[in-house]
Amino acid sequence: MNKLFFRFLVLLMSLSLIGIILVQVYWFNTSFKNNDDQFGYHVTQVIDNVADKIEKQEAYNFYAKYNSYKDSTGKLPKKEDLSEIYYVQKDLKTNKTIVYSNSIISEDYDITADLFNKKFSSERFKSLSAKRVTEVYNNNNIDKPGVQQNLVPNEITKKSGNLDVLDNAQFEIFFKDIASAMPLEERVSMETLQRLIKKELEVYGVDTKFEFAIFSNGIETKIKSNGFHFDREATYSVPILADNEGNEKYRLSITFPHKKRFLLSELVSITILSIVFTLIILIAYTSALNQLIRQRQISEIKTDFINNMTHEFKTPIATINLALDAIKNPKIIEDKEKVFRYLQMIRDENKRMHAQVENVLRISKLEKKELDIEKGSSNVEDVIYDAIEHVNLILQDRGGVIRNHFEAVRTTVLINEVHFTNVIVNILENAIKYSPEEPQIDIYTENIKDMILIKVKDQGLGMSKVAQKRVFEKFYREHTGDLHNVKGHGLGLAYVKRIVEDHNGQVYVESEKGKGSTFIIKLPLIN
């Protein structure tokens, strides 16, 4: 995968993920707005119903008081005909005359507004009723002068009843005029208002805390709950108790302190699912991207490893071939000293290739957990001396020196001597390889509580902060300009870390570019 395509793929995946998140945010905002609109519609219906019920209850109370008073007086009402209508129809075939009459009568029970409020003592309330009569005459003498007085109808039908529409209209005007002059506290009680609001909210499924108040010409009245506070976003109002002229003196307002919490609670389940799925996608995306980057890095490191391994094997093989060709020369084969020198060269190069192969095999066995590590009680300083002997020839060849500073009092640890010797050897070889001048190496030991610290300090090239974090990774090598200027393939320190951790220890490095490195191993002591 080339770099351009990889970057394009990462950009495409990132844009897709951002798009998914933006869609989720848009959906949430839209759902919240829809819930808010629906909430507002339901609350408006609630307060409309409450206002209507308050007005009807007030009218009912007045009407009940009026009927109670009317029944208790025991007086016959005074009647007055307001209008009388006659209609006459003649049928020549049947020789019949039909006379219709309809009278509207006002019944005065002598009930004044004084029953409700002394300010209206001049007002009177009258009930209206209708009287309908149908008369049938079987001859035509009804039109003759002087005869009408003596005529008796052959059939007569009488009907009477209240004029509900007119009666109700007159009563509504009557009681509204009275009520509009009464104090609000006498018209509406807080308990009744709160009960009605709560009941209506339950009908519409609005289960959240509410506060209410009635305003008179924009000013709060005493009819309000203790926690009422006007909030433009959460307060809803409707007119209430309008007078006969339609003037809206009072307004009923309801506010919901926890409105947003209530609206969010209706979205909480689907929102949590949405967030969980988005997080899963985000984690999967991050993981996939990290794996892609790591695979690219591993691919580059493996390519580097193969190049280094090829280079390191090519040189010994070429050296061995040259040595063999030289030995076959008749002049050389007679010179035993030169033959032994060439044979030693072949042995050394062969040993070097064998060591590289052993490193690869060790790492492979460690990863498969097939490496047999049997531990025993050992003096760690003796193991360090053995490791120094293993690198002594290389060190002498470079003209270097190793200085010991063994200050630990307790040195007995539980280790596998062979593997731990290899650990120290690998660290010392690194110190020699990465020292551009003659290697100057110091080894320290000291006790800290129940631990022993082994420090291997060199004065070599040092390493960057990034390299310090990754130096114990398999195949990792820090580039130093020339890919093959320092031989190796990033397996030695990976092996070191695995062995030390298998001994319940820790290994880490402290370094500064250009000022050398210090490898520190911490192992538990045997009590």
Side-chain angles (χ1 to χ4, degrees):
M1 185 186 298
N2 61 57
K3 288 185 178 180
L4 185 62
F5 179 73
F6 178 75
R7 289 175 182 173
F8 175 74
L9 185 62
V10 170
L11 178 64
L12 196 63
M13 291 170 65
S14 301
L15 289 175
S16 299
L17 181 62
I18 293 169
I20 290 171
I21 294 172
L22 290 177
V23 167
Q24 294 291 335
V25 172
Y26 173 77
W27 169 84
F28 179 82
N29 288 336
T30 303
S31 299
F32 186 83
K33 188 177 182 302
N34 290 339
N35 279 10
D36 190 18
D37 293 341
Q38 189 176 21
F39 180 84
Y41 172 76
H42 286 164
V43 171
T44 303
Q45 291 291 107
V46 165
I47 52 180
D48 278 339
N49 292 345
V50 170
D52 187 53
K53 288 183 178 181
I54 290 290
E55 291 177 357
K56 285 181 177 179
Q57 185 171 341
E58 184 181 45
Y60 175 79
N61 291 338
F62 272 74
Y63 195 71
K65 191 181 289 187
Y66 155 70
N67 282 333
S68 175
Y69 182 79
K70 185 178 73 174
D71 295 339
S72 66
T73 59
K75 298 178 181 179
L76 292 173
K78 299 176 182 177
K79 295 186 179 182
E80 177 186 356
D81 291 340
L82 298 181
S83 63
E84 189 169 3
I85 300 171
Y86 284 92
Y87 174 72
V88 179
Q89 179 183 352
K90 293 183 180 180
D91 191 338
L92 297 177
K93 292 182 180 180
T94 59
N95 198 28
K96 288 184 178 181
T97 301
I98 302 173
V99 179
Y100 300 94
S101 66
N102 191 350
S103 302
I104 298 177
I105 300 170
S106 172
E107 297 178 336
D108 187 355
Y109 288 90
D110 196 24
I111 298 175
T112 67
D114 185 46
L115 171 65
F116 306 101
N117 194 309
K118 291 182 179 180
K119 293 181 180 179
F120 291 85
S121 57
S122 61
E123 298 290 333
R124 302 178 65 83
F125 178 73
K126 298 178 180 181
S127 178
L128 300 176
S129 62
K131 181 180 179 182
R132 300 184 297 282
V133 179
T134 303
E135 297 176 340
V136 180
Y137 298 89
N138 289 331
N139 54 64
N140 290 324
N141 294 329
I142 191 170
D143 292 332
K144 293 180 181 181
V147 179
Q148 291 91 334
Q149 291 82 356
N150 299 321
L151 286 176
V152 177
N154 299 96
E155 296 179 25
I156 185 168
T157 304
K158 296 182 180 182
K159 293 182 180 180
S160 63
N162 290 334
L163 295 177
D164 292 337
V165 175
L166 293 176
D167 207 19
N168 291 339
Q170 185 196 22
F171 179 77
E172 185 175 350
I173 293 170
F174 177 70
F175 99 80
K176 279 191 175 183
D177 281 342
I178 298 170
S180 62
M182 295 176 64
L184 180 65
E185 291 80 1
E186 295 183 19
R187 302 180 68 183
V188 183
S189 71
M190 284 184 56
E191 293 75 14
T192 301
L193 188 57
Q194 185 167 15
R195 177 175 50 80
L196 286 174
I197 293 172
K198 184 176 181 181
K199 185 176 180 181
E200 287 294 324
L201 287 174
E202 287 175 353
V203 171
Y204 284 90
V206 181
D207 184 17
T208 184
K209 183 182 178 181
F210 67 90
E211 304 290 346
F212 63 90
I214 294 180
F215 287 77
S216 175
N217 296 324
I219 300 173
E220 283 185 7
T221 65
K222 294 181 179 180
I223 305 299
K224 68 169 187 174
S225 57
N226 294 330
F228 181 84
H229 176 72
F230 184 82
D231 180 0
R232 186 182 297 274
E233 298 295 326
T235 302
Y236 302 85
S237 303
V238 294
I240 190 173
L241 303 174
D243 61 17
N244 283 317
E245 285 73 32
N247 297 322
E248 299 173 354
K249 181 179 179 182
Y250 300 109
R251 291 189 72 84
L252 171 62
S253 296
I254 303 179
T255 189
F256 299 88
H258 304 149
K259 174 187 170 182
K260 286 187 178 179
R261 188 187 305 171
F262 174 73
L263 293 178
L264 287 172
S265 68
E266 294 187 333
L267 294 172
V268 66
S269 56
I270 192 69
T271 302
I272 289 174
L273 282 175
S274 176
I275 291 172
V276 167
F277 291 142
T278 303
L279 285 175
I280 290 172
I281 293 172
L282 184 61
I283 292 168
Y285 166 76
T286 306
S287 177
L289 184 59
N290 185 54
Q291 288 297 321
L292 279 172
I293 294 171
R294 283 188 63 83
Q295 287 299 321
R296 278 185 60 82
Q297 292 173 342
I298 289 171
S299 177
E300 291 173 358
I301 290 169
K302 283 185 176 180
T303 302
D304 189 11
F305 165 73
I306 291 169
N307 291 337
N308 276 279
M309 182 68 81
T310 303
H311 178 80
E312 291 202 18
F313 279 177
K314 185 187 291 185
T315 302
I317 291 170
T319 303
I320 290 170
N321 285 332
L322 288 170
L324 289 173
D325 289 339
I327 291 172
K328 287 191 293 182
N329 190 316
K331 293 180 180 180
I332 300 297
I333 201 168
E334 297 296 332
D335 190 341
K336 290 185 178 181
E337 186 179 345
K338 288 185 178 180
V339 169
F340 285 134
R341 184 156 59 88
Y342 284 128
L343 287 174
Q344 185 62 41
M345 189 182 295
I346 292 170
R347 184 189 298 274
D348 291 341
E349 293 300 325
N350 183 64
K351 187 177 179 181
R352 181 174 154 194
M353 286 193 295
H354 180 73
Q356 302 297 348
V357 172
E358 280 298 316
N359 271 337
V360 176
L361 292 175
R362 282 198 206 106
I363 291 294
S364 177
K365 287 183 177 181
L366 275 173
E367 289 185 343
K368 294 177 181 177
K369 298 183 179 179
E370 294 176 356
L371 197 62
D372 185 21
I373 301 179
E374 294 182 358
K375 300 167 191 171
S377 177
S378 302
N379 186 324
V380 74
E381 291 180 353
D382 292 341
V383 175
I384 294 172
Y385 282 123
D386 287 343
I388 292 171
E389 287 298 320
H390 278 77
V391 299
N392 200 33
L393 288 175
I394 304 173
L395 189 67
Q396 289 177 4
D397 186 58
R398 291 286 309 277
V401 63
I402 295 177
R403 293 180 289 268
N404 297 330
H405 309 275
F406 293 164
E407 298 177 0
V409 177
R410 299 164 61 195
T411 58
T412 306
V413 292
L414 188 66
I415 58 174
N416 180 290
E417 290 190 6
V418 174
H419 287 293
F420 205 78
T421 301
N422 288 334
V423 165
I424 304 299
V425 167
N426 275 315
I427 293 175
L428 291 174
E429 284 183 343
N430 267 3
I432 295 169
K433 283 194 296 185
Y434 287 95
S435 294
E437 306 296 333
E438 294 177 352
Q440 302 292 318
I441 302 170
D442 293 278
I443 303 177
Y444 301 84
T445 63
E446 61 179 290
N447 292 128
I448 297 179
K449 295 183 179 180
D450 291 333
M451 309 288 288
I452 184 169
L453 261 64
I454 305 166
K455 297 181 181 179
V456 180
K457 183 178 180 181
D458 64 56
Q459 298 175 19
L461 295 172
M463 62 184 80
S464 65
K465 296 291 184 183
V466 175
Q468 290 177 49
K469 292 179 180 178
R470 300 190 58 194
V471 72
F472 295 104
E473 292 181 15
K474 187 174 66 169
F475 302 125
Y476 179 78
R477 294 177 72 245
E478 186 177 22
H479 295 289
T480 56
D482 180 1
L483 187 64
H484 306 297
N485 62 338
V486 177
K487 294 179 173 60
H489 25 74
L491 293 175
L493 292 179
Y495 168 77
V496 166
K497 183 176 176 64
R498 294 295 295 269
I499 294 295
V500 171
E501 288 180 349
D502 192 69
H503 285 78
N504 300 315
Q506 298 174 7
V507 60
Y508 51 94
V509 64
E510 295 175 353
S511 183
E512 188 175 346
K513 199 75 172 174
K515 294 186 179 181
S517 304
T518 301
F519 284 85
I520 303 168
I521 297 173
K522 188 186 293 186
L523 289 174
L525 292 163
I526 296 177
N527 292 325

